[in-house]
Amino acid sequence: MTEGWDTREYDRDFAFVSAYGAELLDWLNPQPGETVLDLGCGTGELAAKIAGTGATVIGIDSDPAMIEAARQRLPGADIRVADAHDFTVEQPVDAVFSNAALHWMPSSVEVLGCVSDALRGGGRFIAEMGATGNVAAITGAVDQACREAGLPERSWPWVFPSPAQYAAMLEDAGFEIRELDFRDRPTRLTGDDGLVRWLQMFAGGVLADVPPEVLARGAEIARPQLWRDGAWWADYRRLRFRAIKVS
């Protein structure tokens, strides 16, 4: 996961992350008395919705600013700074939930091992993440702009597996897949500078040495593909799944 988030801007201008994730709660279907671990809980908006069903929530995120915002939203809840590649829980949980976070975690095998260890037998793992081809038009445009400026191509911070790749890893980790959905989900960004602000929010560390004019050139390259109906549209591709721990 990345660090150094501006949590106020995240909640204000990128609320679509949690808004789309709210649909995933139907797959989770949390029940009163259950314990649900929210992996990559961010500012805690979805964790609060889970808690509102009567379930107990444990929130985990690697970014201290996100965790502080989540603690303010969920006072008294178990909200922890932790690395998703190496976390434990005191007692097995009924479900693990993750929205728009797994693609920030470079070693999927390690993460899935921790998730499996955290779940009780028969527990469920419900998640949505970026998948193969996610934001390819955005990153391709920035890479081209960097080449034109004599800068190296970026080492982007995400892992976007194919459905087949991730399904195999889930099964190797002891999960049985009950539902899996892979789709294009173009996502509207806010403002005429929405694409550049998206890059600054989600890839700011990678782009720290890139001058503003090069980012502007990247937006110019991307415009024919990603600007329509008076707005920028990020070329998201999402993988959503529901899996059960069987071993």
Side-chain angles (χ1 to χ4, degrees):
M1 302 180 196
T2 192
E3 293 186 358
W5 294 94
D6 182 330
T7 57
R8 290 185 180 180
E9 182 182 359
Y10 181 86
D11 278 344
R12 183 185 67 239
D13 295 334
F14 300 95
F16 62 79
V17 176
S18 293
Y20 278 113
E23 301 173 4
L24 198 61
L25 296 178
D26 292 337
W27 282 31
L28 177 65
N29 190 26
Q31 300 297 309
E34 287 190 323
T35 299
V36 178
L37 188 149
D38 186 348
L39 185 62
C41 65
T43 60
E45 185 170 347
L46 294 178
K49 291 182 183 296
I50 294 168
T53 69
T56 297
V57 177
I58 300 171
I60 288 178
D61 202 286
S62 68
D63 184 70
M66 288 288 196
I67 288 296
E68 180 57 32
R71 285 172 176 162
Q72 291 178 18
R73 183 171 264 137
L74 284 158
D78 185 354
I79 308 293
R80 316 175 185 181
V81 177
D83 183 346
H85 300 84
D86 183 24
F87 73 91
T88 58
V89 291
E90 290 72 24
Q91 298 292 331
V93 301
D94 298 292
V96 173
F97 174 85
S98 185
N99 177 59
L102 292 173
H103 52 258
W104 289 98
M105 305 170 191
S107 179
S108 299
V109 171
E110 292 180 11
V111 173
L112 291 177
C114 288
V115 170
S116 180
D117 288 346
L119 279 167
R120 64 168 175 80
R124 58 204 191 277
F125 182 23
I126 313 295
E128 181 174 300
M129 63 187 297
T132 182
N134 192 59
V135 299
I138 294 176
T139 56
V142 174
D143 283 338
Q144 181 178 334
C146 286
R147 286 194 300 271
E148 291 177 2
L151 297 172
E153 290 189 6
R154 302 296 96 182
S155 178
W156 299 102
W158 314 294
V159 175
F160 296 135
S162 72
Q165 289 170 331
Y166 211 79
M169 287 188 285
L170 282 167
E171 291 177 348
D172 286 345
F175 290 96
E176 180 178 88
I177 299 166
R178 298 295 178 85
E179 292 183 78
L180 187 146
D181 181 61
F182 173 50
R183 66 178 62 186
D184 293 330
R185 198 196 70 203
T187 300
R188 193 179 193 275
L189 305 179
T190 302
D192 292 344
D193 60 347
L195 183 60
V196 169
R197 288 194 298 110
W198 184 95
L199 286 162
Q200 292 169 336
M201 171 60 70
F202 294 107
V206 172
L207 300 171
D209 65 330
V210 177
E213 60 270 20
V214 177
L215 287 185
R217 172 57 181 154
E220 180 184 352
I221 293 167
R223 183 180 276 281
Q225 286 182 269
L226 302 181
W227 177 270
R228 62 181 181 277
D229 301 326
W232 288 103
W233 292 80
D235 57 321
Y236 277 17
R237 305 185 85 197
R238 311 309 273 185
L239 177 64
R240 180 180 294 185
F241 61 85
R242 180 170 67 91
I244 304 297
K245 179 181 175 179
V246 294
S247 63

